[in-house]
Amino acid sequence: MSSRDDILGRVRARLNRTPENAAAGRASLEATLAERAQGPRPALPTQKSALTERLVEKSLGYSSSVDRIGSYAEAPAAVARYLAGLNLPPRAVVWPQLAHLDWAGAGLAVEARGARDRDLVGITGCFCAIAETGTLMLCGGPESPASVSLLPETHIALVPASRIVAGMEEAFALARAELGALPRAVNFISGPSRTGDIEQTIVLGAHGPYRVHLILIGDK
Amino acid sequence: MESRAHRFKQNAVDSLANPVLQASMKKAKGKFVDKRAIAIKEIDDFEATREAAKRIRNQVIENLDLWLEKFEQTATARGAKVLWAKDGAEICRLVVEIGKQHGVKKAVKSKSMLSEEAGLNLALAAAGIQPVETDLGEYILQINDNEPPSHIIAPVVHKSLDEVADLFHKTHHTPRKTDIPQLTREAREVLREHFLTAEMGISGGNFLIAETGSVALVTNEGNGRMVTTLPRVHVVVTGIEKVIPTLEDLATLMRLLPRSATGQSISNYVSVLTGTKAEGESDGPEHLYFILVDNGRAEVVGSEFQDMLRCIRCGACMNHCPVYQTIGGQAYGWVYPGPMGSVLTPLYTGLENALDLPHAATLCNQCGVVCPVKIPLPELLRKLREKQVERHLRPWFERLAFRLWAWVASRPALYGLGTRFAVRYLEWLADGKGSISRLGLAPEWTQGRNFPAPEGKTFRELYAQRGRNG
């Protein structure tokens, strides 16, 4: 007997599975999947501007930094400003879907591709941002490689204010509506990577970025 | 991992006598507890959220076979291969086979308690595949001759900074340093090389989502993302009880897991991974395997211990346990320490192999109060004690003592005489000092504490006296 049949067989025996109760069980399973019931939700403001403030506040709480600009056209200059402030060279790897912005015009040398080990700065967009916890939702794909938010020491994310949602539930609903199936890699990111393993002392920059910088677009 | 749970008493004595462990446990004590207490206030109705989480987990376990079939179907439809392992040996065999099939020389690992259950690292090394732990805590343990973890979330909570500094100096051949950010940077650089060169990534799974066939991974360090983004093969090793129905359920559980574990509103990274690398993608694995593991779980389904299968491995029960706080995790002798371990170890490795664990609790119910999925841990520990008695597993002197006790206690006159004698004897032992520092009949009891002296009269005597005085 295969291990699969052995394990499932023993589970079925323990649950007193019969053809009749299996049919009822499957019907209730499908009903659960179709219903997608939500659990209790913490109260959040419904106004767009209040959600944005909540996102900013929670992101700062997670050791991210936040800048606010009016439009995508201003993004390259905002990135250049941020990098200059940190004395970082004006070079970055960027999501291919953002390659069309005028990076060179702001004095930045960007390469549109997945990140490699020695890339210092990664620029990404986001699928949406979650106000409840100050979390970015990034969906991986050929135009939005997951490595760009992971390998470089500095991660800069362009976050359109129009894409701020209340909670993870709204983020998943948006993904279902716009993408259908989930892409291979959905990453929820809340601030720089960290560890507390040595004497419970929190250190930023474990394996992922040391810094996460949000550039909020379109609420100014 | 071979269980040392049968040596619990000696392990605990050793832990109490270990000054470094004692200092580390004192330092850690309360940190997770305080952070959790603050973080749960952000949830308006924490109790309702716990109830919802309990429902989500129960719903799956009550129809576990059907949910597993569903998950297998959705995961397979997205290109994953779903394999099944009855025990630790089969986990090892399957992972080694996958490694050989794909020409793997090195495997990077994100934390997986299942791989600890299986002793996977030793099996990989024996098969010529180098295993590299990448969670900082697990890495520290691996370079210390594969030391077992002492906590499911904070594996090196028992270790001091000095010990880590020595280990890094010895292993990396770098100047000794005691600055924690510098040590973390050193580990990052060493492990980055491994991430970039490994052909296989092995992770656990916090949840398996039936709706989408995905695995959800929760980490702070980002190592979970690394091992599932860079290598061309990804193997998820996880228990059959980890299935949840929908993404909405993940959202609910994620309000509880990080708050209960580390006191964070959310962990830095939550990854929901589905299927293999898509056409045109520059990163992600070409091959994805799920190994769904029984190793004792199937037998718990439908039993009086079924509540335990709800566990989401947050570690809150051990963080709040006065016994765990005093002896640390390694004394429990197997993969899972604290109250959840004291239930799981006997269930998964055999009641007779962990006789002391169900007794390694004061039944104060701190663990039950903080459990995010409302597992009645003290009740389960009590049931395990009952099972031990039913199966005559307790030592002969204990059984004899209880039989004697029962015989005396069912004879009121004899009982009264016995207790009158006992309290007077104890009062005499105390010699007016109010406490007894050495109990001849139970020397272990007074090894680290005094025994409070009784009044010199029994309750029944005092009650009778009160009756006379009106």
Side-chain angles (χ1 to χ4, degrees):
Chain A
M1 198 197 302
S2 74
S3 293
R4 176 188 188 277
D5 293 345
D6 175 67
I7 295 168
L8 284 176
R10 279 181 295 122
V11 172
R12 286 184 196 119
R14 305 253 7 150
L15 291 172
N16 300 317
R17 183 63 71 206
T18 63
E20 296 76 47
N21 68 28
R26 276 196 196 95
S28 103
L29 177 153
E30 291 302 334
T32 300
L33 291 180
E35 189 193 358
R36 290 176 184 148
Q38 294 185 8
R41 306 277 306 265
L44 280 186
T46 46
Q47 263 185 316
K48 242 353 216 200
S49 62
L51 278 186
T52 305
E53 292 317 313
R54 165 88 179 204
L55 178 80
V56 171
E57 180 205 325
K58 292 300 281 184
S59 300
L60 295 175
Y62 266 86
S63 313
S64 296
S65 51
V66 181
D67 189 7
R68 307 173 94 152
I69 59 173
S71 71
Y72 268 104
E74 301 164 36
V79 170
R81 241 187 351 260
Y82 173 71
L83 294 180
L86 288 172
N87 284 322
L88 285 170
R91 274 195 308 277
V93 52
V94 63
W95 270 5
Q97 66 172 229
L98 295 171
H100 63 277
L101 296 176
D102 184 14
W103 302 102
L108 292 168
V110 303
E111 291 179 41
R113 54 169 169 79
R116 297 178 198 132
D117 178 36
R118 298 291 158 193
D119 292 321
L120 283 180
V121 179
I123 305 172
T124 73
C126 68
F127 178 74
C128 67
I130 297 167
E132 182 181 331
T133 47
T135 300
L136 303 173
M137 177 182 182
L138 273 60
C139 290
E143 299 294 300
S144 53
S147 54
V148 180
S149 61
L150 181 62
L151 294 180
E153 293 187 1
T154 302
H155 171 206
I156 301 172
L158 307 188
V159 183
S162 60
R163 301 292 289 184
I164 298 174
V165 298
M168 220 180 229
E169 285 86 347
E170 284 72 25
F172 284 131
L174 204 58
R176 284 192 192 106
E178 294 181 0
L179 308 173
L182 284 187
R184 186 197 70 79
V186 174
N187 283 299
F188 294 93
I189 301 174
S190 311
S193 75
R194 71 184 64 201
T195 178
D197 273 344
I198 304 176
E199 296 200 340
Q200 286 74 57
T201 304
I202 301 297
V203 177
L204 296 184
H207 294 299
Y210 284 78
R211 287 169 288 276
V212 174
H213 182 62
L214 275 60
I215 300 182
L216 276 182
I217 298 171
D219 81 313
K220 199 174 161 183
Chain B
M1 178 176 168
E2 209 174 304
S3 173
R4 289 165 57 252
H6 59 281
R7 296 188 63 233
F8 175 78
K9 273 189 187 163
Q10 189 53 48
N11 297 344
V13 169
D14 294 347
S15 297
L16 288 170
N18 178 341
V20 178
L21 181 141
Q22 286 300 317
S24 300
M25 294 310 293
K26 277 209 180 71
K27 224 179 224 182
K29 192 171 165 176
K31 277 196 186 168
F32 285 134
V33 172
D34 297 345
K35 283 187 181 170
R36 174 192 171 276
I38 296 167
I40 65 168
K41 290 203 187 109
E42 298 172 337
I43 300 287
D44 299 327
D45 197 342
F46 192 66
E47 273 315 295
T49 311
R50 283 174 84 209
E51 274 299 333
K54 177 180 168 180
R55 261 199 314 277
I56 291 168
R57 299 291 295 131
N58 277 349
Q59 182 180 23
V60 168
I61 291 155
E62 284 159 11
N63 278 305
L64 186 60
D65 55 335
L66 306 178
W67 284 104
L68 283 166
E69 286 169 355
K70 186 71 190 181
F71 175 79
E72 183 182 43
Q73 180 199 329
T74 50
T76 308
R78 287 293 301 263
K81 288 203 179 65
V82 179
L83 308 171
W84 304 72
K86 284 198 286 270
D87 53 24
E90 197 163 14
I91 299 176
C92 294
R93 182 175 64 74
L94 289 171
V95 179
V96 167
E97 264 173 29
I98 295 167
K100 292 220 160 125
Q101 190 190 329
H102 295 286
V104 172
K105 298 260 178 300
K106 187 193 287 181
V108 278
K109 292 179 65 200
S110 176
K111 194 160 51 191
S112 154
M113 300 317 284
L114 260 299
S115 83
E116 299 279 349
E117 287 185 35
L120 180 59
N121 287 359
L122 293 178
L124 284 171
I129 298 170
Q130 182 193 356
V132 181
E133 293 288 352
T134 64
D135 172 86
L136 178 57
E138 293 282 346
Y139 174 71
I140 291 167
L141 294 173
Q142 190 183 23
I143 62 173
N144 193 30
D145 200 16
N146 294 304
E147 185 183 342
S150 71
H151 190 289
I152 58 169
I153 303 293
V156 291
V157 64
H158 63 293
K159 277 213 163 343
S160 70
L161 172 57
D162 266 333
E163 286 177 297
V164 178
D166 287 343
L167 268 174
F168 276 32
H169 170 58
K170 195 179 82 184
T171 312
H172 301 152
H173 310 292
T174 47
R176 188 178 187 278
K177 44 182 90 68
T178 51
D179 179 69
I180 296 176
Q182 277 181 28
L183 286 166
T184 306
R185 163 69 90 170
E186 189 169 307
R188 174 190 174 103
E189 281 166 7
V190 169
L191 290 168
R192 183 59 77 95
E193 276 310 305
H194 289 304
F195 286 129
L196 293 166
T197 51
E199 300 92 353
M200 178 158 85
I202 301 171
S203 74
N206 291 90
F207 300 106
L208 300 173
I209 301 154
E211 172 193 359
T212 53
S214 319
V215 57
L217 283 184
V218 182
T219 78
N220 282 311
E221 296 185 2
N223 59 324
R225 290 192 61 195
M226 289 282 189
V227 309
T228 60
T229 304
L230 300 177
R232 54 192 164 79
V233 183
H234 175 201
V235 183
V236 181
V237 186
T238 195
I240 53 172
E241 84 283 19
K242 289 295 185 81
V243 181
I244 59 171
T246 64
L247 295 167
E248 278 71 13
D249 296 327
L250 177 67
T252 299
L253 288 161
M254 285 310 301
R255 291 197 176 92
L256 294 171
L257 175 59
R259 287 189 172 89
S260 303
T262 51
Q264 291 169 284
S265 320
I266 192 160
S267 302
N268 289 89
Y269 299 111
V270 181
S271 301
V272 179
L273 304 167
T274 319
T276 50
K277 182 172 172 170
E279 180 98 20
E281 259 193 298
S282 61
D283 44 38
E286 293 152 26
H287 306 278
L288 171 63
Y289 296 88
F290 286 97
I291 300 181
L292 306 182
V293 185
D294 173 8
N295 211 26
R297 289 156 176 81
E299 293 307 311
V300 182
V301 175
S303 77
E304 58 199 307
F305 299 101
Q306 181 172 290
D307 286 334
M308 195 60 220
L309 293 176
R310 286 204 295 274
C311 178
I312 58 171
R313 305 289 192 264
C314 68
C317 61
M318 57 197 78
N319 294 337
H320 290 77
C321 175
V323 177
Y324 177 90
Q325 285 172 352
T326 313
I327 60 173
Q330 289 175 344
Y332 291 81
W334 200 52
V335 180
Y336 305 103
M340 53 88 86
S342 295
V343 177
L344 285 177
T345 305
L347 290 179
Y348 290 176
T349 70
L351 200 55
E352 64 282 3
N353 298 318
L355 281 181
D356 292 324
L357 291 190
H359 301 267
T362 62
L363 304 183
C364 68
N365 198 29
Q366 273 285 305
C367 51
V369 169
V370 297
C371 177
V373 287
K374 302 190 110 169
I375 299 171
L377 286 154
E379 198 182 305
L380 298 182
L381 289 167
R382 226 174 0 238
K383 278 185 190 161
L384 283 168
R385 295 180 185 184
E386 284 169 23
K387 287 262 165 211
Q388 291 184 345
V389 173
E390 278 168 25
R391 287 182 46 194
H392 304 293
L393 292 170
R394 299 306 304 163
W396 66 267
F397 49 88
E398 190 181 301
R399 279 186 282 158
L400 181 70
F402 275 114
R403 215 171 290 160
L404 253 167
W405 167 262
W407 191 78
V408 174
S410 54
R411 287 163 178 79
L414 184 62
Y415 180 86
L417 186 72
T419 49
R420 277 209 298 281
F421 172 75
V423 293
R424 285 182 175 84
Y425 169 69
L426 288 171
E427 194 202 15
W428 173 79
L429 262 188
D431 198 18
K433 288 194 287 285
S435 68
I436 301 161
S437 54
R438 281 183 76 158
L439 267 183
L441 284 172
E444 284 175 350
W445 215 100
T446 44
Q447 215 164 57
R449 61 195 158 179
N450 285 348
F451 188 85
E455 285 264 337
K457 280 187 178 159
T458 66
F459 171 76
R460 292 208 298 190
E461 287 177 288
L462 292 170
Y463 189 74
Q465 205 172 9
R466 207 177 91 169
R468 275 199 301 276
N469 298 346

